[in-house]
Amino acid sequence: MTKRILSIDGGGIRGILPGQILVVLEEKLKAKTGNDDARIADFFDMVAGTSTGAILSAAYVCPDDNGKVKFTAQEALNFYLDEGDDIFDVGFWQKFTSMSGLTDEKFSARELERVLDNAFGETKLSELLKPTCLVSYDVSKRMPIIFTQHDAVKKSKDFLVKDVLRGSSAAPTYFEAARIYSISPEKKKYVLIDGGMVANDPALCAYSEALNTFDDVSGIKDMVIFSLGTGKNLKRYSYSQIKDWGPLSWAKPSIDIALEGGPQMIEFHMENIASTVDGSKFFRIQPELFGADTSLDNASRDNLDALRDAGMENAKIHDALLDEIVDVLVN
């Protein structure tokens, strides 16, 4: 049986772009099925996400007290539209003590943690409604960590969802690293930074995870994968500009290259994998920004609105593709 996978890139406040596209997708699914209660989670067998994509993915499969999907796609998007300016607010004291981000992380994590706690509370990874592939990186063990709902259920490797998401979104220079602990009988500690440093586009991770998770999946022919980016910001660097850079000068460009270059590589490999099977169903939308700020942390009211509008414009441009995806998901 074909498994349907949703994958969402990292990208800070630019998560509004895929969030808005998925609002439109959910509305199309409601119209197609005639079910006003239809939710994203009803049409996917696994969700994958890195950083901001992990937050969105987890929201789509988060249960309420009755075991139903807690958030609509619009409510998940509202995390950013309503709270983004608080999450990415540089308070005076933080700005002063960090020397505007030169000696410490740019933002305090308190507001991010508050938003995650309000949304996910004490929900456990094992309680999410569908299998997951949520990416982070452990700097103490020097290895990628993939947080999976299905392993939490089968192997008692459980965590609080809010802790997993805090770790996945701990972007270096933006937020301090996250130290989290498992809640399974075997207590484990992780020291996590943003998964975007190793897999900002988690589609290949999700493909691999699906192969290992679902018994009736043997390759791309058995999958539908819908991969969503958060917009590209491919800043160019000339040789004369970078040839004499030292560690301080390379700090932020290195993160930029990792976050933006990784998805290019993953998309290349996923398209190659998909090309091995006629009629394979790998869909990728990398949204255009349409004048919205390219930075990961501009949560001014004007830019929040610009990102939302850009998401709506992208949904219009890809309307036929979204209709095709709806048909594939429903059928």
Side-chain angles (χ1 to χ4, degrees), residues 18-269:
Q20 181 60 58
I21 292 171
L22 286 164
V23 168
V24 174
L25 182 73
E26 189 171 86
E27 291 304 313
K28 286 178 174 291
L29 288 166
K30 290 178 181 178
K32 182 72 174 181
T33 61
N35 178 9
D36 288 338
D37 294 324
R39 299 289 182 264
I40 293 292
D42 300 332
F43 300 92
F44 288 96
D45 302 292
M46 175 182 286
V47 296
T50 298
S51 192
T52 195
I55 295 173
L56 284 170
S57 294
Y60 300 138
V61 297
C62 182
D64 63 15
D65 293 339
N66 298 313
K68 303 294 185 181
V69 178
K70 183 175 182 180
F71 301 108
T72 65
Q74 182 63 58
E75 288 168 339
L77 175 61
N78 289 344
F79 294 169
Y80 299 84
L81 297 178
D82 295 342
E83 306 283 3
D85 56 344
D86 289 329
I87 293 172
F88 292 104
D89 177 45
V90 185
F92 171 79
W93 186 248
Q94 184 71 16
K95 187 174 183 179
F96 175 76
T97 57
S98 70
M99 295 180 63
S100 296
L102 289 176
T103 61
D104 200 353
E105 65 276 356
K106 186 175 181 180
F107 302 103
S108 166
R110 285 193 298 272
E111 287 300 316
L112 173 60
E113 291 169 355
R114 176 187 62 80
V115 171
L116 293 176
D117 183 58
N118 286 345
F120 298 98
E122 299 302 302
T123 302
K124 299 175 184 177
L125 184 61
S126 63
E127 294 171 337
L128 295 179
L129 299 173
K130 294 292 176 71
T132 64
C133 179
L134 308 176
V135 184
S136 193
Y137 188 81
D138 189 312
V139 293
S140 64
K141 297 178 176 63
R142 288 309 303 268
M143 61 185 298
I145 305 294
I146 309 295
F147 291 97
T148 58
Q149 176 264 7
H150 38 290
D151 282 338
V153 171
K154 294 179 181 178
K155 301 178 183 178
S156 298
K157 297 167 63 174
D158 218 350
F159 298 82
L160 292 178
V161 172
K162 63 183 179 183
D163 291 344
V164 168
L165 300 179
R166 173 68 179 86
S168 184
S169 57
T173 76
Y174 291 94
F175 296 108
E176 68 182 32
R179 182 171 58 190
I180 76 168
Y181 297 87
S182 66
I183 54 176
S184 59
E186 181 183 352
K187 289 286 186 178
K188 290 190 174 183
K189 179 180 77 173
Y190 294 95
V191 181
L192 302 175
I193 62 170
D194 196 301
M197 300 304 295
V198 291
N200 205 39
D201 175 352
L204 190 59
C205 298
Y207 171 74
S208 175
E209 192 64 36
L211 288 175
N212 291 325
T213 301
F214 300 116
D215 293 336
D216 51 351
V217 167
S218 60
I220 193 72
K221 66 181 178 61
D222 300 318
M223 302 183 200
V224 173
I225 301 177
F226 182 25
S227 173
L228 274 164
T230 58
K232 290 187 292 188
N233 176 26
L234 301 180
K235 184 177 180 180
R236 299 174 184 269
Y237 303 94
S238 67
Y239 172 73
S240 60
Q241 179 185 7
I242 69 171
K243 66 184 182 68
D244 295 321
W245 277 3
L248 185 61
S249 297
W250 268 111
K252 285 214 168 182
S254 295
I255 295 172
D256 167 53
I257 292 168
L259 295 179
E260 301 290 350
Q264 292 176 294
M265 182 64 76
I266 298 302
E267 184 174 355
F268 170 80
H269 285 297

Side-chain angles (χ1 to χ4, degrees), residues 259-325:
L259 295 179
E260 301 290 350
Q264 292 176 294
M265 182 64 76
I266 298 302
E267 184 174 355
F268 170 80
H269 285 297
M270 288 303 304
E271 287 180 346
N272 277 350
I273 292 169
S275 70
T276 63
V277 176
D278 290 338
S280 62
K281 300 297 183 183
F282 172 69
F283 303 98
R284 170 74 172 170
I285 294 179
Q286 179 62 280
E288 296 293 331
L289 287 158
F290 292 115
D293 194 338
T294 60
S295 64
L296 306 179
D297 60 344
N298 182 351
S300 67
R301 186 70 261 167
D302 285 346
N303 197 52
L304 294 177
D305 291 341
L307 286 165
R308 180 199 59 211
D309 293 345
M312 295 172 68
E313 187 63 26
N314 277 282
K316 290 179 183 176
I317 290 171
H318 295 287
D319 185 66
L321 178 59
L322 291 175
D323 283 340
E324 180 182 354
I325 292 169

